[in-house]
Amino acid sequence: MSAAGLGARLLQEVKVEGLDEFLQTLRSAYETQFPRAEAKYIGQPTIDRVLNAFVRPEPHHPQSTSTLATASVATSEQHRVGRSDQAPMLELVGTSPCSGKKQLLYYLITQLLLPLEHGNINLQGRGYAVVLLDVGNTFSLLRLKRVMMGYVYSCVGNASRPLSIEDINALVRASFEHLHVFRPQSLLSLLATLSHLQSYLFDTSSHVSANRALGAIVVNDADAFLWQARLEDAEDEISMSNSAQKPGLLTNRFRELVAQLRRLQSIFSCLVITTSSALSSLTYVRIDGLHVPILQSHMPSAWKAFVTARFVVQRETVRKFQYGMSVEEAAREAQQRQEAVEKSAFSARLDWSESEAWREDTRNAIKTMGVNTDVKFRVTSESVDCNIDD
């Protein structure tokens, strides 16, 4: 066989594929040998599974456990632990007043602040520091304390050597020292707080969280300044009506807000959790064979693009009085109905309104979970319980 014929035959045996195909094959082979470990962002299993479906950490690169003391000397890109695109943003949206979103937030912050264990008690906490930006000034530290106490009591109940009341109080008090609360009074004040947050956290002489990693930045009532900003935006449009069209104040300020939060995530590899209230009604549609909730957000586009996963929080409905029931019959059932209302559960369901933009692997993972993406919880005067049956 001539050299030309041999070369032609060998050329026919060559498989041609693009670089993206090659890298995908290489990645699949590597992940088969080194399976991905799911990141434990909060400790609430359902929410952690959903976040992992959206943000898949690289093998051997879990969420940062770098403390504030060590992070202060590792802020250059090549020395950071974790990557900015690895840090998710979780949004809790309430569909109505008393929807339960803040109660769920108390529970999540409890898990972030409490340690993994205390004595011989397995608390399943994360032992993080948390920054709380209480924009709407509606966050109750007293309620958080009660929820945390109730959570610890529920863990102590199954222990062979339960903690004393004094030990539990000391544990809660020590955990509270790592919650850093700020209450900005305007959107500009919020931006200024975020711009100085890095220097505050790195100044370990100003707080006791130097030996903890920053687990989350929480923005409570993130939409509290939205209407104030819209009004200022409208006034600016009127005064600039004859000028060239430019992005409004609202757009620019929310872009800056997102940029500041992303910057802090890139430094601390931390979760961002926000709460807000819905203006539109919740609807259900069928997508990929699943009956899923859709909620149109009223937040600016820059904010919506920042959200990794949005959970819609609402109270489960209790059957109303039957039509035509007399006053006497209603009075006889009043006590039973009150008990039913108190025992009714709340639910947080993954919003599918942006599902068309999801990656294919994310979409497949969420479809596989199905209704297991729902978080059901019950609220009492002393606790929030996420370990309930349907």
Side-chain angles (χ1 to χ4, degrees), residues 106 131-142 144 176 179-187 189-191 193 218 220-221 225:
Y106 293 137
V131 169
L132 170 64
L133 298 155
D134 187 14
V135 176
N137 198 21
T138 60
F139 191 93
S140 171
L141 294 175
L142 178 60
L144 175 62
F176 257 69
L179 177 65
H180 306 272
V181 182
F182 300 87
R183 290 192 166 96
Q185 301 301 306
S186 66
L187 186 53
S189 175
L190 174 60
L191 293 172
T193 302
V218 179
N220 181 46
D221 296 328
F225 300 141

Side-chain angles (χ1 to χ4, degrees), residues 89 133 194 217 219 256-266 272 274 303 306:
M89 191 278 221
L133 298 155
L194 289 172
I217 298 173
V219 185
E256 185 178 353
L257 175 58
V258 169
Q260 289 280 12
L261 290 171
R262 287 190 186 277
R263 179 182 65 84
L264 292 168
Q265 282 188 303
S266 70
V272 168
T274 71
W303 184 265
F306 180 41

Side-chain angles (χ1 to χ4, degrees), residues 2 56 58 64 181 216 235 252 334 369 377:
S2 65
R56 296 186 177 274
E58 295 297 328
S64 173
V181 182
E235 293 174 345
N252 287 334
M369 294 182 209
F377 59 100

Side-chain angles (χ1 to χ4, degrees), residues 106-299:
Y106 293 137
Y107 181 87
L108 298 182
I109 292 179
T110 291
Q111 287 200 302
L112 287 165
L113 288 174
L114 286 175
L116 178 63
E117 57 185 20
H118 183 76
N120 67 324
I121 309 299
N122 182 14
L123 299 173
Q124 300 180 2
R126 304 298 294 139
Y128 284 140
V130 174
V131 169
L132 170 64
L133 298 155
D134 187 14
V135 176
N137 198 21
T138 60
F139 191 93
S140 171
L141 294 175
L142 178 60
R143 176 58 181 167
L144 175 62
K145 179 183 177 181
R146 287 181 177 175
V147 170
M148 191 177 293
M149 294 280 288
Y151 181 90
V152 174
Y153 275 118
S154 68
C155 296
V156 168
N158 298 324
S160 57
R161 294 172 55 192
L163 298 175
S164 66
I165 296 178
E166 292 76 14
D167 287 339
I168 294 176
N169 284 327
L171 170 62
V172 171
R173 192 161 49 246
S175 298
F176 257 69
E177 291 181 347
H178 301 286
L179 177 65
H180 306 272
V181 182
F182 300 87
R183 290 192 166 96
Q185 301 301 306
S186 66
L187 186 53
L188 288 177
S189 175
L190 174 60
L191 293 172
T193 302
L194 289 172
S195 66
H196 291 90
L197 192 57
Q198 177 184 345
S199 58
Y200 164 76
L201 292 173
F202 283 168
D203 181 11
T204 54
S205 63
S206 63
H207 55 78
V208 297
S209 299
N211 293 324
R212 287 198 175 198
L214 181 63
I217 298 173
V218 179
V219 185
N220 181 46
D221 296 328
D223 56 345
F225 300 141
L226 178 64
W227 305 112
Q228 174 189 344
R230 286 191 188 279
L231 176 61
E232 294 174 357
D233 203 13
E235 293 174 345
D236 186 64
E237 285 182 4
I238 294 173
S239 63
M240 302 286 289
S241 58
N242 296 324
S243 304
Q245 187 69 27
K246 295 180 180 180
L249 289 174
L250 175 68
T251 300
N252 287 334
R253 286 178 182 172
F254 268 85
R255 282 177 180 173
E256 185 178 353
L257 175 58
V258 169
Q260 289 280 12
L261 290 171
R262 287 190 186 277
R263 179 182 65 84
L264 292 168
Q265 282 188 303
S266 70
I267 295 170
F268 298 105
S269 296
C270 62
L271 182 69
V272 168
I273 306 175
T274 71
T275 66
S276 60
S277 299
L279 295 182
S280 59
S281 58
L282 183 67
T283 59
Y284 284 85
V285 299
R286 186 161 292 279
I287 300 178
D288 295 340
L290 299 174
H291 194 57
V292 297
I294 297 290
L295 183 69
Q296 298 303 321
S297 174
H298 62 282
M299 298 293 281

Side-chain angles (χ1 to χ4, degrees), residues 10 22 54 85 141-142 160 209 227 235 259 308 320 328 346:
L10 293 175
F22 170 73
F54 283 92
D85 61 351
L141 294 175
L142 178 60
S160 57
S209 299
W227 305 112
E235 293 174 345
T308 303
K320 299 179 180 180
E328 292 77 11
F346 294 79

Side-chain angles (χ1 to χ4, degrees), residues 27 36 41 55-59 61-64 77-88 262-271 359:
R27 183 171 186 168
R36 295 175 183 271
Y41 294 104
V55 184
R56 296 186 177 274
E58 295 297 328
H61 288 79
Q63 186 186 18
S64 173
E77 190 68 33
Q78 62 270 28
H79 292 102
R80 289 177 190 155
V81 181
R83 302 181 335 198
S84 60
D85 61 351
Q86 298 279 316
R262 287 190 186 277
R263 179 182 65 84
L264 292 168
Q265 282 188 303
S266 70
I267 295 170
F268 298 105
S269 296
C270 62
L271 182 69
R359 298 192 318 265

